[in-house]
Amino acid sequence: MNDSDPHVNAFAEIFGDPPADYAVPVDRAAVESWLGTNLPADYKAIAATYGPLDIGARLWLHMPCVNRGWFDYGAWVQHARRNAPGVLPFGATRTADTLYWDTTASDDPDKWPVVMHCQDDENTGRDPWRRFATPLVPTLAQLVADGLPPLGRRDEDPLDYIEFEPYDPEPAADDQ
């Protein structure tokens, strides 16, 4: 654990120490350039320390990475952004819900509140948006308080066979 990073420490207090084989190299500058925005500091610190993470076997914290035939960060972000402009996805649940940051709430990514699109609510005609009004780590702490099991893991689960690779974004249109 990185004793000097308060975001990682806060996350570790809830979800435990990071796995030993966590790292998926990320060229943050390239990813942020491709996204057209900076990412929140807590997310970057957690991603660098934990890598892709299954939380309580119910919530997937996505990182800029790929797994051929299974997950491509860029394709996932593009699809999610088309379906919900003004937000940036970072996670998904096992029940087809997507977690986003509300990028319209502030120019400062560290102040973006988390919102969740609940697919079951949309399917039944209810408002599908759950608004947390807090950034990543406090929102995850609230989800644990609401019943999400506080287990962050990449070992001892069905993800053992997945070999994650770094995400290499295509250059932004204005960089070509």
Side-chain angles (χ1 to χ4, degrees), residues 10-172:
F11 189 85
E13 284 181 26
I14 302 167
F15 299 104
D17 292 337
D21 62 345
Y22 64 90
V24 175
V26 175
D27 182 344
R28 285 191 225 325
V31 170
E32 289 176 333
S33 175
W34 178 79
L35 289 170
T37 187
N38 290 330
L39 292 166
D42 57 356
Y43 172 80
K44 290 188 283 191
I46 292 164
T49 305
Y50 284 82
L53 189 63
D54 211 7
I55 299 174
R58 294 187 187 162
L59 181 120
W60 183 256
L61 193 56
H62 289 300
M63 305 298 168
C65 64
V66 295
N67 180 274
R68 288 184 293 267
W70 184 76
F71 178 76
D72 180 294
Y73 176 79
W76 177 73
V77 166
Q78 288 176 326
H79 176 75
R81 283 180 131 178
R82 270 194 303 273
N83 292 336
V87 294
L88 180 62
F90 68 86
T93 70
R94 297 293 185 248
T95 57
D97 301 330
T98 304
L99 288 103
Y100 298 89
W101 290 292
D102 179 356
T103 61
T104 66
S106 175
D107 290 335
D108 180 356
D110 294 334
K111 294 182 180 176
W112 291 342
V114 171
V115 294
M116 183 167 59
H117 181 269
C118 302
Q119 191 61 51
D120 286 346
D121 287 346
E122 182 173 291
N123 293 344
T124 59
R126 296 183 299 231
D127 179 6
W129 293 100
R130 183 171 176 193
R131 294 159 185 86
F132 293 95
T134 53
L136 178 62
V137 173
T139 300
L140 293 174
Q142 183 60 51
L143 289 171
V144 168
D146 290 347
L148 178 72
L151 176 62
R153 61 189 184 157
R154 279 208 322 124
D155 55 354
E156 301 177 4
D157 69 10
L159 302 176
D160 284 345
Y161 66 92
I162 297 174
E163 294 182 27
F164 293 100
E165 298 175 4
Y167 175 66
D168 186 16
E170 296 293 322

